C-alpha cells in the first residue's frame, strides 16, 4: 500500500491536513483562553453588583458570590477610584499579571502556550474592561488549574475533530485519485504491456482518452512513439526482405560480371585505337562492379568493411569519375564537368571507398540536373588545411527539397528525384564516417547545391 501512488497520496494528505489543523489550533487555543478569562471577568462584575446594591453583605454570601464567579478578589475602578469590592484569602503569592486590554495577538498566543506547558497551579491577576463600560477597569485574582484543564479539554476536542476531518478528506482524495489518476495510469500501463507483447500489431497502439491534460499529453506522446516504432519495425522487416533479395541479385550479378571481365581481356588485344583507349576504362568499371557486388554480399552478413588506407592521387580519380558519369548519362553538351582539383594533391584514404563517395555525390548531382531538362554544370574542387582534406562537389541543379534535407542521410527517405532510394548519400556518409570524416551539406537552393567531404589527417579516425 505504501508503494502505490494512491497509498502515498492518502498518507501525505492526512499529514498535511493535520499540519494545517495545528496551524489553526494555536490561535484557536489562544482565543479560548481569552474567552475563558473574559468570562471570569464578566462573572466577577455580576457578583460585584450585589455589593453595589447593598453595601453590607454577610460573609457567607460574599464567599458564595466569589465561589460562583471562580475568583478570589474583585477590584473595580470607577471615577479614578480603585475599590476592592469582593475579597477572600489568597492561598499563594500572585505569580503574574495579565492585562487583556493591551495584549497583542502574538502575546496572547505566547501566554496560552506558556499556560499549556506549565502544570503547576498558580495564582494570577487578570485586568480587563468592564462590560457595558461599567467603570474604567475590573481586576480579578484566580488560580490557573481550572484554566489549564479547560484549555486541555478544548485542545483534545479540536485535535480529535481535526483527525476526523483529515481522515475523511484523505479518504475522499484517495478515491478521487484512484478514479481520475490511478485508473488512467493503469490503462496506459496496460496498453504498454499489450504493445510490448506484439509491437508489430497496430491494434495495440493506445488511443488517447484521458480527461486530465497531463495524462492526455502522455498518452498522445506514447501513441506517437508506438506509431513510429511500429512503422520502423515494418520498414525494418521490409528492408530485411529487400536485403535478402539484393544479396541474391548481387550474387548472380557478380557471376555475370566475372564472365564479362574475362571477355574484356580479349578486347584489350584489339588493334582498333578507340577500343584500345576505352578498354582499360571498361575493365576498371567491371572490376569495380564486381567489388561492389562482393561488398554488397559482405554487407548482408556484417557492416561496411573497414577502409584500407593508402595515398590517393585525387585529380586522376576525379577524372575517371567525371568521364564515367559523362558517358553513363549521355549528357555531352548539356552538362559540363569541371575538375578543379589541384593536380599535385594527394590524400590518405581507401581508394575504392573514396571513389564510391565522390561518385555517389557526382551521380546525384548529374541526376538532379537531368531531371530539370536544362543545361548545368558540376564542379569538383579540393583543398587541405592543417587538420583535414576537403573535397567539394558543386552543381547548378534545382536544390534539395525540404523532405530531402530533413532525411538527408537516411536510406529510402532522403531520395531527391522521383524513384530514387536515397541510398547514394547514405552510403557516402557511412563510408566517410568510416574514414573518421563526414559529408556535409554546405548550401542548397535554386542556384545549386554544394556538398563537402571532410577527411581528417592523422590516423584516419576521430
Amino acid at each position: 500500500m505504501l508503494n502505490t501512488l494512491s497509498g502515498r497520496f492518502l498518507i501525505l494528505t492526512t499529514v498535511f491536513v493535520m499540519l494545517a489543523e495545528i496551524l489553526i489550533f494555536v490561535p484557536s487555543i489562544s482565543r479560548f483562553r481569552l474567552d475563558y478569562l473574559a468570562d471570569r471577568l464578566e462573572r466577577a462584575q455580576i457578583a460585584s453588583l450585589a455589593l453595589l446594591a447593598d453595601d453590607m453583605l454577610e460573609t457567607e454570601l460574599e464567599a458564595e458570590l466569589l465561589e460562583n464567579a471562580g475568583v478570589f478578589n474583585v477590584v473595580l475602578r470607577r471615577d479614578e477610584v480603585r475599590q476592592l469590592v469582593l475579597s477572600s484569602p489568597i492561598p499563594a503569592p500572585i505569580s503574574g499579571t495579565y492585562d487583556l486590554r493591551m495584549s497583542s495577538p502574538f502575546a496572547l498566543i505566547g501566554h496560552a502556550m506558556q499556560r499549556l506547558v506549565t502544570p503547576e497551579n498558580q495564582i494570577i491577576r487578570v485586568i480587563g474592561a468592564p462590560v457595558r463600560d461599567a467603570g474604567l477597569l475590573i481586576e480579578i485574582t484566580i488560580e490557573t488549574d481550572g484554566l489549564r484543564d479547560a484549555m486541555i479539554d478544548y485542545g483534545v476536542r479540536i485535535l480529535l475533530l481535526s483527525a476526523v476531518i483529515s481522515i475523511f478528506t484523505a479518504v475522499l482524495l484517495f478515491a478521487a485519485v484512484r478514479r481520475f489518476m490511478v485508473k488512467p495510469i493503469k490503462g496506459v500501463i496496460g496498453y504498454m504491456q499489450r504493445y510490448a507483447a506484439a509491437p508489430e500489431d497496430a491494434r495495440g497502439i493506445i488511443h488517447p482518452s484521458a480527461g486530465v491534460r497531463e495524462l492526455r499529453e502522455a498518452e498522445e506522446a506514447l501513441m506517437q512513439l508506438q506509431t513510429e516504432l511500429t512503422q520502423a519495425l515494418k520498414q525494418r522487416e521490409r528492408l530485411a526482405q529487400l536485403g535478402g533479395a539484393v544479396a541474391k541479385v548481387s550474387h548472380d550479378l557478380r557471376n555475370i560480371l566475372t564472365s564479362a571481365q574475362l571477355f574484356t581481356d580479349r578486347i584489350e588485344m584489339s588493334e582498333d585505337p578507340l577500343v584500345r583507349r576505352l578498354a582499360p576504362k571498361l575493365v576498371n568499371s567491371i572490376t569495380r562492379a564486381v567489388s561492389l557486388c562482393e561488398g554488397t554480399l559482405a554487407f548482408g552478413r556484417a557492416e561496411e568493411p573497414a577502409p584500407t588506407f593508402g595515398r590517393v592521387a585525387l585529380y586522376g580519380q576525379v577524372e575517371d569519375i567525371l568521364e564515367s558519369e559523362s558517358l553513363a548519362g549521355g549528357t555531352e553538351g548539356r552538362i559540363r564537368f569541371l575538375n578543379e582539383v589541384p593536380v599535385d594533391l594527394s590524400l590518405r584514404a581507401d581508394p575504392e571507398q573514396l571513389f564510391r563517395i565522390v561518385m555517389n555525390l557526382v551521380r546525384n548531382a548529374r541526376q538532379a540536373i537531368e531531371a530539370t531538362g536544362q543545361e548545368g554544370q558540376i564542379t569538383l574542387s579540393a583543398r587541405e588545411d592543417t587538420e583535414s582534406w576537403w573535397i567539394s562537389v558543386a552543381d547548378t541543379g534545382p536544390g534539395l527539397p525540404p523532405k530531402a534535407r530533413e532525411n538527408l542521410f537516411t536510406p529510402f527517405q532522403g531520395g531527391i528525384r522521383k524513384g530514387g532510394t536515397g541510398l547514394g548519400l547514405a552510403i557516402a556518409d557511412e563510408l566517410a564516417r568510416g574514414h573518421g570524416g563526414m559529408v556535409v551539406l554546405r548550401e542548397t537552393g535554386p542556384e545549386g547545391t554544394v556538398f563537402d567531404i571532410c577527411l581528417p589527417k592523422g590516423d584516419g579516425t576521430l
Side-chain angles (χ1 to χ4, degrees):
M1 183 66 178
L2 295 179
N3 293 328
T4 63
L5 176 63
S6 53
R8 293 188 177 184
F9 199 89
L10 175 64
I11 295 173
L12 290 176
T13 302
T14 304
V15 172
F16 291 155
V17 172
M18 290 298 295
L19 289 176
E21 292 294 342
I22 289 174
L23 295 177
I24 297 173
F25 170 78
V26 172
S28 297
I29 200 70
S30 172
R31 182 66 185 178
F32 176 81
R33 172 182 172 275
L34 179 62
D35 292 341
Y36 181 92
L37 296 178
D39 180 67
R40 291 298 180 271
L41 288 174
E42 185 176 356
R43 289 185 183 184
Q45 182 179 349
I46 294 173
S48 66
L49 293 178
L51 181 61
L52 296 177
D54 187 356
D55 292 338
M56 298 299 295
L57 289 178
E58 295 181 359
T59 304
E60 293 78 4
L61 180 57
E62 184 175 355
E64 185 178 353
L65 290 173
L66 290 173
E67 184 179 357
N68 290 335
V71 299
F72 294 109
N73 292 324
V74 180
V75 176
L76 287 176
R77 178 178 292 181
R78 290 186 175 187
D79 301 327
E80 302 299 332
V81 177
R82 188 171 181 274
Q83 180 183 3
L84 180 60
V85 180
L86 298 172
S87 65
S88 64
I90 300 177
I94 296 175
S95 61
T97 300
Y98 302 97
D99 191 344
L100 303 183
R101 301 171 302 168
M102 303 174 61
S103 297
S104 65
F106 293 104
L108 293 173
I109 292 175
H111 295 155
M113 295 300 103
Q114 181 183 8
R115 181 53 48 205
L116 283 176
V117 299
T118 305
E120 296 86 5
N121 185 26
Q122 297 177 338
I123 305 299
I124 61 173
R125 179 184 293 113
V126 181
I127 302 173
V131 179
R132 298 184 182 277
D133 298 327
L136 298 177
L137 65 81
I138 181 171
E139 176 185 316
I140 60 173
T141 306
I142 64 173
E143 59 183 353
T144 59
D145 260 355
L147 172 60
R148 186 169 182 274
D149 291 342
M151 290 175 64
I152 292 176
D153 180 67
Y154 175 78
V156 170
R157 286 188 281 111
I158 287 294
L159 290 178
L160 289 176
L161 179 61
S162 301
V164 172
I165 293 175
S166 64
I167 293 174
F168 180 72
T169 305
V171 169
L172 290 180
L173 288 175
F174 175 80
V177 167
R178 289 191 63 86
R179 172 64 179 84
F180 297 106
M181 292 184 64
V182 176
K183 186 177 180 181
I185 290 176
K186 286 185 176 180
V188 173
I189 294 174
Y191 270 109
M192 294 174 67
Q193 292 173 341
R194 290 192 295 272
Y195 182 79
E200 298 87 358
D201 189 355
R203 294 174 299 176
I205 298 177
I206 188 173
H207 301 286
S209 60
V212 181
R213 183 179 64 182
E214 289 78 5
L215 285 176
R216 188 171 185 87
E217 290 176 354
E219 290 179 345
E220 291 174 351
L222 178 61
M223 180 183 69
Q224 182 179 359
L225 175 63
Q226 290 176 334
T227 302
E228 293 177 356
L229 181 57
T230 300
Q231 293 175 353
L233 290 174
K234 291 181 178 179
Q235 184 181 24
R236 187 173 183 178
E237 183 180 356
R238 289 196 297 267
L239 289 177
Q241 297 172 354
L242 177 61
V246 169
K248 295 175 183 178
V249 172
S250 297
H251 180 271
D252 295 339
L253 182 60
R254 180 190 60 179
N255 296 335
I256 296 173
L257 290 174
T258 302
S259 300
Q261 193 174 25
L262 297 176
F263 291 117
T264 55
D265 294 338
R266 296 182 176 272
I267 296 178
E268 287 183 320
M269 295 184 294
S270 173
E271 298 298 331
D272 190 333
L274 179 61
V275 173
R276 292 180 64 85
R277 183 173 68 86
L278 296 179
K281 297 184 182 297
L282 178 60
V283 171
N284 291 336
S285 298
I286 294 177
T287 301
R288 290 193 180 99
V290 172
S291 300
L292 181 59
C293 290
E294 292 176 347
T296 303
L297 292 174
F299 183 81
R301 298 188 299 270
E303 296 180 353
E304 191 75 38
T308 303
F309 290 95
R311 302 303 297 185
V312 179
L314 185 60
Y315 182 87
Q317 193 175 67
V318 169
E319 277 291 314
D320 289 344
I321 294 172
L322 296 183
E323 187 171 356
S324 298
E325 286 300 310
S326 175
L327 294 175
T331 57
E332 294 87 346
R334 288 196 303 110
I335 300 179
R336 292 184 300 162
F337 296 89
L338 297 182
N339 184 359
E340 296 183 355
V341 176
V343 177
D344 58 346
L345 178 64
S346 64
L347 48 83
R348 188 171 182 270
D350 184 305
E352 290 300 323
Q353 292 190 6
L354 180 61
F355 185 93
R356 291 169 60 190
I357 295 172
V358 179
M359 182 185 66
N360 278 313
L361 294 179
V362 173
R363 181 168 299 169
N364 282 349
R366 175 180 61 79
Q367 292 172 348
I369 296 175
E370 287 178 349
T372 63
Q374 301 177 357
E375 296 183 353
Q377 177 177 300
I378 299 174
T379 305
L380 273 78
S381 59
R383 59 185 176 85
E384 65 176 315
D385 53 32
T386 56
E387 297 180 354
S388 306
W389 291 286
W390 294 85
I391 306 171
S392 298
V393 180
D395 65 69
T396 58
L400 300 180
K403 182 180 178 181
R405 291 197 297 268
E406 293 173 1
N407 304 281
L408 198 57
F409 302 113
T410 305
F412 305 102
Q413 295 186 25
I416 300 173
R417 60 187 177 85
K418 184 176 180 181
T421 61
L423 283 173
L425 287 176
I427 293 173
D429 180 65
E430 182 179 356
L431 294 176
R433 284 189 285 109
H435 284 70
M438 56 184 174
V439 177
V440 181
L441 174 64
R442 189 204 305 175
E443 61 183 60
T444 184
E447 296 79 14
T449 301
V450 180
F451 278 97
D452 285 338
I453 306 167
C454 175
L455 300 178
K457 296 181 178 179
D459 61 355
T461 59
L462 287 177

